């Protein structure tokens, strides 16, 4: 077998070594355009766990890496003259040139054919490597080979240039820890990401918004001039050391992903295939991990099953891990693009945001890494909350999740909310059934602060399905009152009504049938209305009528009578559903609203009707009771609602008397392309909370207490809604309290269930201790470093 590799970076070289060691009789050649000691960049970083992985692959490379690596455990965050340290993080690093020299030496020892100073022209690949069985494209972020095959029938590249400016420099300033210096300048905040990677060298990556960069007058290729300005700004932090340059021109990060990982007999790897922002230090790691994946696929299948089997296996092994790392990097990158939104924070809150920015690190992870850091952050949190709200948790320290929260006269016992979840179980006249009684009354015993009921419809035609509950008859009102009365009489959970009108998504099938498609029996469908006559799915759903003034007035009257009924039924709070593509959402999104009257066009026009409804409800809903609005903060589609739109919407509802924005996303167009992941919508809530100052509720793939505490600590939201996870475990809040050992008021458990309380606390305590023990055992081992010689 013969394998040719274009590009001698860490990815290409590591693949060459592993494959040659496993298959000494194969011919493996690498073509690198540079000389062996030519390199850009300064240090490279790995987590402890990555090194452990390399130990299992090639012992020789591992030992050489290990010997020379710098190791550090702490992350320091410098912010407004304060330094916060978070311990227990476990990173190691070396210089890029050193890593490459280890890999070059090993290539030579095992017999990889290394060719330096040979640039491969993409147009020559076919002829030049005609006798190769596999050609590996590992030519880095600016890959010319990828660019020559970038279309849908090639590597199908998706690329976007991110807005922040950054440059990579070095210095001899010693640094004991991985250090973030955040520096306020007259033009904005500049962050220096720094770490020492050899006895006398440290990496200094400077990053700032484009606006800050422009205002300072930096120039893209003026390395000397930029270094002089940065030296001046970071004079104190550099402690008199100069900045050292090495191709340190300014860049904007290209966020790149190849949807296809092979073309002909070429496979692609490393930065050429998927880039990961440097703030999570994973570019080199990602390249080497993909080298491992491709190596495994190649040695298992190339000779025996052919190249397609290799590609399938490579994809299977690596696609999800790459997407996860890239997603974490994207989220981290996005935080750095908006670091100014956190600038008003207290020091430890800011430090928590920095530590938890990529969402893989949570409150509980930090408790494990550095309990003292979390203790300091909690102390600061309780002190701030006492000052802001008068609630005093400075002694009891229940974790932020278990602090009370007030909206007007409504006091919630904690920050956990059960998200509205359609049950599709009403009868065909919108009447509740026994299912609703059992479901809501049962769930309310789970300990959450607030429970939303599902979207309830103010008129027959505003239902989504024939299983949706209504609020237009006295019977509806009485049935809801029965549930509300039970919840109030037997639990401390508060209960909120969500009112919504289905719009163009109405007259469709139940959630467990073919959702969003018309009712199968044609004669049971009813005409639907929307902002504009655009069907949900062209050719499938009926074309909605564009709602006119009379229609709007009718909808408004229906909502008002439903709100009056909800108040009489005793609901504590009212939410207006303006999300998920239903009638009011169809006005907000420019993708579903193409009206030319005063209800279409600008965001001010698009929110006019939802605001009219909200104001009408606010008039009849008692002033002492809070109201919220649920929005879809993204359409997950090009040309949809913008971040700026969401700020306008939140501010307008706030000014109209809304107390909380319930920040969901998507489901507004059928061809949305959401980016899922844990807490995947929380960033929208964070932006609205930080920019407009209105209280927000986050929702979406939040499944555990650690995430709730992280969200509250980092001001991503004030309340946290959990949907699916409370369907299968409505006792999640009680379980979390027992897990943290949080002692709540005596009457917090319903008296009928008190007998189980002591056991819950003891069982959960044992599990939390056991998990801690396992996690400590599973921690990557600490590696020997030059520091150990000191
Ligand atoms: C300016 C800059 C500085 C960086 N500094 C650091 C750092 O200090 N620490 C860190 O962890 N990460 C750093 N990174 C990221 C890191 O370099 C990459 O994530 C990582 O090296 C990816 O490895 P790779 O093998 O995929 O590609 P690369 O390391 O980029 O290697 C690709 C190789 O292909 C060669 N090549 C390109 N085209 C051809 C061709 N046509 N023919 C032959 N050879 C070719 C290049 O010369 C290069 O050696 C930096 C990135 C940039 C852009
Ligand atoms: C079966 C189901 C029914 C839902 N019903 C509603 C609803 O009635 N009103 C609403 O605003 N959102 C509804 N949602 C959205 C949820 O409230 C929540 O935003 C979503 O499930 C994401 O949160 P999760 O990941 O915690 O489940 C529903 C979601 C599901 C899965």
């Amino acid at each position: 077998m013969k394998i040719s590799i274009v590009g001698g970076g860490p990815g290409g070289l590591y693949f060459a070594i592993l494959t040659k060691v496993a298959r000494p009789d194969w011919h493996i050649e690498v073509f690198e355009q540079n000389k062996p000691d030519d390199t850009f960049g300064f240090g490279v970083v790995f987590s402890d766990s990555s090194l452990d992985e390399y130990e299992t692959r090639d012992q020789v490379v591992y030992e050489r890496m290990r010997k020379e690596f710098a190791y550090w455990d702490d992350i320091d965050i410098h912010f407004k003259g304060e330094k916060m340290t978070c311990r227990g993080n476990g990173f190691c690093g070396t210089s890029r040139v050193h890593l490459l020299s280890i890999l070059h030496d090993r290539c030579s020892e095992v017999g990889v054919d290394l060719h330096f100073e040979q640039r491969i022209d993409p147009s020559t690949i076919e002829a030049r490597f005609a006798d190769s069985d596999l050609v590996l494209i590992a030519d880095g972020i600016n890959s010319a080979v990828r660019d020559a095959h970038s279309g849908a029938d090639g590597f199908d590249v998706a690329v976007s240039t991110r807005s922040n400016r950054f440059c990579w420099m070095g210095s001899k300033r010693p640094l004991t820890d991985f250090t973030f210096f955040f520096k306020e300048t007259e033009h904005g905040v500049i962050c220096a990401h720094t770490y020492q990677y050899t006895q006398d060298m440290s990496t200094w990556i400077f990053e700032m918004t484009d606006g800050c960069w422009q205002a300072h007058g930096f120039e893209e290729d003026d390395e000397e001039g930029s270094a002089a300005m940065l030296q001046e700004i970071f004079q104190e932090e550099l402690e008199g050391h100069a900045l050292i340059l090495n191709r340190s021109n300014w860049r904007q990060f290209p966020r790149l992903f190849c949807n296809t990982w092979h073309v002909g007999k070429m496979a692609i790897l490393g930065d050429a295939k998927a880039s990961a922002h440097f703030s999570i230090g994973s570019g080199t790691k990602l390249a080497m991990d993909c080298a491992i994946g491709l190596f495994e696929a190649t040695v298992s299948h190339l000779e025996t099953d052919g190249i397609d089997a290799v590609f399938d296996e490579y994809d299977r092994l690596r696609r999800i891990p790459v997407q996860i790392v890239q997603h974490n990097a994207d989220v981290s990158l996005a935080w750095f693009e908006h670091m100014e939104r956190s600038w008003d924070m207290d020091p430890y809150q800011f430090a928590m945001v920095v530590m938890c920015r990529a969402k893989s690190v949570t409150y509980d992870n930090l408790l494990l890494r550095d309990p003292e850091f979390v203790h300091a952050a909690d102390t600061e949190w309780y002190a701030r909350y006492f000052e802001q709200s008068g609630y005093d948790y400075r002694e009891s320290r229940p974790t932020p999740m278990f602090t009370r929260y007030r909206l007007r006269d409504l006091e919630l016992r904690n920050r956990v909310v059960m998200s509205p979840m359609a049950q599709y179980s009403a009868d065909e006249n919108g009447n509740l059934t026994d299912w609703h009684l059992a479901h809501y009354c049962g769930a309310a015993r789970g300990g959450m602060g607030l429970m939303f009921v599902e979207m309830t419809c103010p008129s027959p035609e505003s239902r989504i399905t024939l299983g949706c509950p209504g609020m237009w008859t006295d019977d509806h009102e009485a049935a809801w009152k029965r549930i509300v009365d039970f919840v109030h009489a037997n639990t401390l959970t508060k209960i909120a009504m969500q009112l919504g009108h289905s719009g163009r998504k109405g007259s469709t099938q139940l959630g467990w049938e073919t959702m969003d498609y018309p009712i199968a029996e044609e004669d049971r469908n009813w005409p639907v209305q929307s902002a504009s006559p655009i069907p949900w799915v062209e050719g499938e759903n009926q074309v909605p009528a564009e709602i006119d003034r009379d229609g709007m007035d009718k909808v408004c009257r229906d909502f008002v009578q439903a709100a009056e009924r909800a108040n009489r039924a005793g609901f504590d709070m009212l939410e207006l559903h303006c999300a998920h593509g239903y009638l009011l959402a169809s006005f907000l999104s420019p993708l579903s609203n193409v009206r030319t009257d005063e209800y279409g066009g600008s965001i001010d026009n698009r929110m006019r009707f939802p605001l009219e409804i909200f104001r009408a409800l606010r008039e009849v809903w008692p002033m002492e009771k809070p109201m919220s609005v649920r929005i879809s903060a993204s359409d997950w589609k090009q040309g949809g609602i913008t971040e700026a739109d969401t700020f306008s919407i939140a501010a307008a509802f706030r000014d109209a008397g809304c107390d909380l924005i319930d920040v969901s996303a998507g489901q507004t167009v059928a061809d949305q392309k959401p980016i899922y992941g844990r807490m995947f919508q929380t960033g929208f809530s964070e932006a609205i909370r930080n920019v407009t100052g209105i209280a927000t509720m986050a929702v979406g793939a939040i499944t555990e207490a650690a995430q709730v505490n992280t969200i509250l600590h980092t001001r991503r939201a004030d309340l946290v809604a959990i949907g699916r996870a409370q369907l299968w475990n409505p006792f999640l809040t009680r379980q979390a309290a027992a897990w943290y050992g949080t002692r709540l008021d005596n009457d917090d458990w319903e008296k009928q269930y008190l007998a189980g309380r002591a056991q819950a606390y003891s069982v959960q305590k044992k599990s939390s201790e056991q998990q801690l023990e396992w996690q400590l055992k599973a921690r990557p081992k600490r590696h020997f470093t030059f520091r150990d010689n000191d």
Side-chain angles (χ1 to χ4, degrees), residues 211-415:
C212 178
W213 185 84
Q214 300 277 2
H216 274 286
F218 288 112
E219 282 174 38
E220 243 161 61
D221 295 323
D222 179 14
E223 293 180 47
E224 300 284 345
S226 301
M229 275 166 78
L230 288 166
Q231 260 162 223
E232 178 78 29
I233 296 168
F234 285 86
Q235 203 175 20
E236 197 189 323
E237 290 76 9
L238 282 161
E239 295 180 340
H241 292 271
L243 287 170
I244 300 165
L245 302 174
N246 181 349
R247 299 198 207 172
S248 303
N249 49 316
W250 290 100
R251 289 157 199 269
Q252 285 171 299
F253 189 76
R255 196 282 189 193
L256 183 146
F257 185 74
C258 291
N259 291 305
T260 306
W261 292 7
H262 59 92
V263 172
K265 60 183 175 184
M266 294 186 289
I268 193 159
L269 174 148
D271 267 12
K273 180 185 73 180
S275 58
H277 190 244
F278 53 82
S279 61
I280 64 161
S282 296
T284 311
K285 171 191 150 47
L286 206 54
M288 290 176 67
D289 288 355
C290 279
I292 292 171
L294 183 61
F295 148 74
E296 282 185 351
T298 305
V299 296
S300 306
H301 298 294
L302 186 60
E303 223 162 7
T304 46
D305 314 308
I307 194 137
D308 288 340
V310 173
F311 294 150
D312 286 350
E313 179 74 351
Y314 175 43
D315 211 281
R316 195 186 63 74
L317 289 172
R318 292 302 303 162
R319 189 167 285 263
I320 290 172
V322 169
Q323 283 173 334
I324 290 172
V325 171
Q326 207 177 26
H327 179 68
N328 282 341
D330 288 348
V331 176
S332 171
L333 167 164
W335 184 80
F336 281 101
E337 286 177 344
H338 300 295
M339 51 193 162
E340 279 154 25
R341 291 180 183 167
S342 306
W343 198 248
D344 65 315
M345 287 180 171
D346 290 336
Y348 269 95
Q349 187 173 30
F350 187 84
M352 280 294 279
V353 175
V354 173
M355 291 304 302
C356 301
R357 67 188 183 278
K359 303 208 177 99
S360 47
V361 175
T362 65
Y363 182 84
D364 284 19
N365 300 146
L366 289 175
L367 269 176
L368 177 72
R369 291 176 193 205
D370 189 349
E372 281 173 32
F373 174 82
V374 177
H375 191 271
D378 276 345
T379 302
E380 189 195 82
W381 198 95
Y382 298 128
R384 185 174 52 250
Y385 194 49
F386 175 57
E387 209 171 281
Q388 289 169 351
S389 69
Y391 289 116
D392 192 355
Y393 293 101
R394 292 172 299 171
E395 289 277 314
S396 57
R397 307 174 69 89
T399 83
M401 174 176 176
F402 293 103
T403 57
R404 289 167 199 266
Y405 190 70
R406 182 175 286 280
L407 288 161
R408 300 198 183 218
D409 282 0
L410 176 67
E411 186 188 70
L412 306 179
R413 61 175 147 173
N414 60 52
R415 307 301 187 96

Side-chain angles (χ1 to χ4, degrees), residues 419-424 453-455 464 498 575 577 579-580 582 630 662 664 667 680-681 699-702 721-725 727:
S419 205
M421 299 291 281
Q423 299 297 300
Y424 308 106
V453 301
E454 66 207 88
M455 176 171 133
I464 311 166
Q498 186 191 53
E575 177 161 286
H577 198 341
H580 302 167
Y582 299 119
R630 178 167 259 207
D662 175 358
S664 186
Q667 297 167 61
F680 70 112
Q681 296 170 162
V699 67
I702 300 165
I722 299 177
R724 287 163 298 169
L727 285 184

Side-chain angles (χ1 to χ4, degrees), residues 6-12 31-34 40-45 96 100 118-122 138-141 143-145 166 168 195 203 247 251 269-272 276 281-284 287:
V6 182
F31 297 89
E32 166 56 47
Q33 63 187 5
N34 290 332
F40 58 78
F42 293 92
V44 290
V45 191
R96 177 177 157 97
L100 289 179
Q118 285 209 34
R119 179 174 171 79
I120 303 298
D121 179 338
D139 53 349
I141 192 93
S143 171
V145 183
F166 72 94
W168 216 292
Y195 56 90
T203 286
R247 299 198 207 172
R251 289 157 199 269
L269 174 148
D271 267 12
S282 296
T284 311

